[in-house]
Amino acid sequence: MLTIPNVTWLDLLCLTGVGIYLVKQVNIKKNPAPYPPGPRGWPLIDNILDMPRIKPWLTFTEWGQKYGDITHIEVLGRHMFVLNSSKTALEMMDSKSTLYSDRPVVPMAGELVGWKDSMAFLPYGDSFRQQRKNLHRVIGSRAAVNVYNVVEEVETRRFLKRVLAKPDQLQEHVRHTAGAIILRISHGYEVKENNDPFVDLANCVLANVSQATAPGAFMVDILPFLAKVPAWFPGASFKRISRKWRETLEEMVSAPHKSVKDRMADGAAPMSFTSNLLEGRDMSAEEDHAVKWSAFSLYSGGSDTTVSAIYSLFLAMTLFPDVQKKAQAEIDAVVGPDRLPTFTDRDSLPYTDALVKEVLRWSVITPTGFLHCVTEDDIHDGYYIPKGSFVMPNIWFMLNDSRTYANPSQFNPERFLAKDGKDPETEPRTMCFGFGRRICPGIHLAEASIWISTVMSLAVFDISKVVENGIEITPNVEPSPGTISHPKPFKCSIKPRSATALGLIEQEANY
């Protein structure tokens, strides 16, 4: 009878460590410069035990305070550099973007779950450039995004009505609206009012990938050879998880794309990102594949991040009523009580614009960003960064760095306004949307969605703490784990500001 030895993860780590140690001894060479400082690793397994799994950005911040702006660790022969300075991140990933724009192979999310064809995971090359070109045509500038202002405004008005009807389901309303806007743009699809199959499917897919890409969440990302083990192998539950997540992803990528092609064949497809790329072209399977994944990249890159920011706005307004009152006073003075704000008011509302920036700084959407991979050896600030290394920007610390922001723990939109002869503080968009050639291509669309949600919501709603049994409930600021972080669910009171505001909310919103 075949018996399976009782193999533990520690056994595998030790065996892997021994193998890597022997390889190092064979291939040992003198580096042209020292590595940056970092925590001292263990024999054979290097820094594998130092890798944090819970709120990794806080551990990375401690490393930065101890070791400097670049921290070096080594995990089973793979070098990783954590950046704790926006200046350093811009110097490396913007100024030297040809070296720092690749993506590493991510075994769990990319290979096993199947995200490797999405633009965020693609290696820097022809496929990446084609998808980025496709997206740039549609949302690559503020002028291009303005085409979708009506969609944004109408869906946000519908959002106000949903919140009015069921304020206790705020997070669901935010998700529904973000999905409605992106699906309308990407596939010309108008979502159902309740339980829309594509919105529900997309939310599931995005929650899965956030878990799959969280630093240290899956051992297969540290020991890639585990991808080859069978699902019955002890400790290989990740294989069963990835199979389930892959099926959900494939359905989300293919079903909306097929829907567009079917409607085009019937002559009934509304204008959309997908229909524009498919129109009048006899496409090869490879070209069709690129269009399908470009559209999905548009959705996946824009919806979940927007959800996090808008939900964070309501949390901030619950906690900081004085800021809310200042924004409402500006909106009242510029817009007046007889209509809802629109994008035409944007340039006349500087405090509200600064409020959106402060939300992006205060509640960091991607605390540790996405891994970059180095394509050639580099020496930066006298330190050796070898080819194939991983580079991780600690965006959370960059947006909470007292060298960049005065009193970073304070929620203060005025930091982004010129005042008393002082220049505004650094725009958070230079960090929170990524770096170099990997910067989010949907930055203008995301900013527009967050802004219109902010200004319309504050025009008609008062947001405050809930009172239960005579006691005011103060929400905790607790970010969720995952690559894309959200505030954990919280309670707040959302009520119309006046009878006039109630009337504006109840007006019909039609395309």
Side-chain angles (χ1 to χ4, degrees):
M1 178 183 293
L2 176 66
T3 59
I4 302 170
N6 186 19
V7 180
T8 68
W9 291 122
L10 184 59
D11 296 329
L12 292 171
L13 287 174
C14 291
L15 288 170
T16 303
V18 170
I20 291 171
Y21 173 79
L22 294 174
V23 170
K24 284 181 177 179
Q25 298 310 302
V26 172
N27 297 305
I28 194 166
K29 66 176 182 178
K30 184 174 177 61
N31 292 335
Y35 295 121
R40 186 175 180 179
W42 293 83
L44 304 182
I45 61 172
D46 301 318
N47 296 104
I48 192 169
L49 301 180
D50 295 312
M51 281 298 293
R53 295 194 179 200
I54 300 173
K55 296 182 179 178
W57 54 90
L58 298 183
T59 300
F60 296 157
T61 296
E62 292 174 4
W63 290 354
Q65 292 167 346
K66 185 174 183 179
Y67 301 112
D69 291 344
I70 309 178
T71 301
H72 169 251
I73 60 172
E74 190 173 358
V75 178
L76 299 175
R78 175 74 73 171
H79 297 280
M80 178 182 289
F81 300 89
V82 178
L83 308 184
N84 275 295
S85 159
S86 58
K87 177 177 178 290
T88 301
L90 290 167
E91 287 174 351
M92 294 174 74
M93 292 187 284
D94 273 26
S95 300
K96 294 190 280 189
S97 60
T98 53
L99 300 182
Y100 289 92
S101 293
D102 207 3
R103 283 281 194 254
V105 173
V106 185
M108 182 63 180
E111 304 301 311
L112 294 176
V113 179
W115 279 76
K116 60 184 177 61
D117 291 318
S118 175
M119 193 178 74
F121 290 80
L122 280 171
Y124 189 75
D126 291 341
S127 295
F128 171 82
R129 284 188 286 268
Q130 182 59 54
Q131 284 202 30
R132 194 166 185 91
K133 180 180 177 182
N134 289 344
L135 291 172
H136 185 78
R137 286 173 52 187
V138 180
I139 56 172
S141 67
R142 190 164 170 177
V145 168
N146 287 345
V147 173
Y148 303 102
N149 283 353
V150 173
V151 173
E152 296 260 15
E153 289 171 359
V154 170
E155 289 296 348
T156 304
R157 291 177 67 172
R158 292 174 177 173
F159 166 74
L160 300 179
K161 294 186 73 171
R162 295 184 194 108
V163 172
L164 176 67
K166 297 180 179 179
D168 58 328
Q169 296 180 15
L170 173 64
Q171 192 171 36
E172 290 82 353
H173 301 324
V174 174
R175 286 195 175 279
H176 185 96
T177 302
I181 291 169
I182 297 289
L183 281 168
R184 185 83 179 190
I185 295 170
S186 63
H187 296 90
Y189 176 78
E190 188 166 357
V191 303
K192 296 177 174 60
E193 184 60 31
N194 297 298
N195 302 317
D196 185 89
F198 285 164
V199 171
D200 293 343
L201 190 62
N203 289 339
C204 182
V205 165
L206 294 172
N208 292 346
V209 75
S210 186
Q211 294 180 60
T213 54
F218 291 94
M219 188 62 69
V220 68
D221 288 330
I222 298 171
L223 303 174
F225 68 84
L226 293 176
K228 303 295 184 183
V229 304
W232 51 258
F233 194 82
S237 60
F238 69 90
K239 294 294 289 285
R240 297 184 289 277
I241 293 171
S242 65
R243 187 183 302 120
K244 179 180 178 181
W245 288 357
R246 187 183 190 99
E247 291 171 357
T248 308
L249 173 64
E250 288 176 347
E251 184 178 357
M252 183 59 214
V253 174
S254 299
H257 185 73
K258 182 178 183 299
S259 174
V260 174
K261 293 176 77 171
D262 290 344
R263 283 181 291 168
M264 289 180 71
D266 295 336
M271 184 191 74
S272 69
F273 171 85
T274 301
S275 64
N276 285 345
L277 290 176
L278 292 175
E279 187 68 44
R281 296 177 62 187
D282 185 15
M283 307 196 85
S284 66
E286 183 178 338
E287 290 171 327
D288 188 68
H289 179 85
V291 171
K292 177 172 69 175
W293 277 95
S294 295
F296 176 73
S297 295
L298 171 60
Y299 186 94
S300 61
S303 56
D304 205 28
T305 51
T306 303
V307 170
S308 175
I310 296 172
Y311 196 49
S312 297
L313 164 77
F314 279 82
L315 175 59
M317 296 301 91
T318 304
L319 294 172
F320 309 111
D322 290 346
V323 172
Q324 179 179 187
K325 289 175 183 176
K326 285 183 181 179
Q328 288 173 329
E330 180 184 68
I331 294 166
D332 292 345
V334 172
V335 178
D338 300 326
R339 66 177 177 89
L340 285 170
T342 68
F343 281 105
T344 60
D345 301 306
R346 189 171 184 178
D347 292 336
S348 303
L349 297 168
Y351 186 85
T352 309
D353 204 48
L355 169 57
V356 170
K357 295 175 184 178
E358 183 67 340
V359 168
L360 292 172
R361 187 202 66 83
W362 175 74
S363 183
V364 186
I365 298 170
T366 54
T368 56
F370 288 87
L371 281 175
H372 289 232
C373 190
V374 186
T375 55
E376 297 292 341
D377 288 356
D378 185 32
I379 295 178
H380 188 82
D381 279 351
Y383 292 125
Y384 178 47
I385 315 292
K387 176 181 178 179
S389 300
F390 296 164
V391 178
M392 177 178 287
N394 186 6
I395 294 175
W396 183 89
F397 178 70
M398 294 176 195
L399 293 171
N400 285 274
D401 188 347
S402 59
R403 296 172 296 181
T404 306
Y405 298 105
N407 301 316
S409 61
Q410 180 183 1
F411 188 90
N412 178 25
E414 292 182 19
R415 70 174 75 248
F416 299 115
L417 299 173
K419 189 176 181 181
D420 299 329
K422 292 183 179 180
D423 292 332
E425 295 183 9
T426 303
E427 286 263 3
R429 74 199 308 265
T430 61
M431 292 161 269
C432 66
F433 289 102
F435 299 91
R437 300 180 187 185
R438 288 289 179 172
I439 191 170
C440 172
I443 181 172
H444 299 290
L445 183 62
E447 289 181 327
S449 296
I450 299 164
W451 186 86
I452 196 65
S453 294
T454 297
V455 71
M456 280 195 178
S457 296
L458 294 182
V460 297
F461 288 130
D462 278 325
I463 305 160
S464 60
K465 296 177 183 177
V466 168
V467 177
E468 294 182 348
N469 300 320
I471 300 174
E472 201 174 56
I473 307 299
T474 300
N476 292 323
V477 180
E478 182 66 22
S480 67
T483 300
I484 298 175
S485 183
H486 299 257
K488 288 195 173 177
F490 62 92
K491 292 182 178 180
C492 67
S493 171
I494 308 172
K495 296 179 179 179
R497 295 178 63 196
S498 65
T500 303
L502 179 61
L504 293 176
I505 297 168
E506 291 178 338
Q507 287 177 356
E508 287 299 317
N510 297 308
Y511 289 104

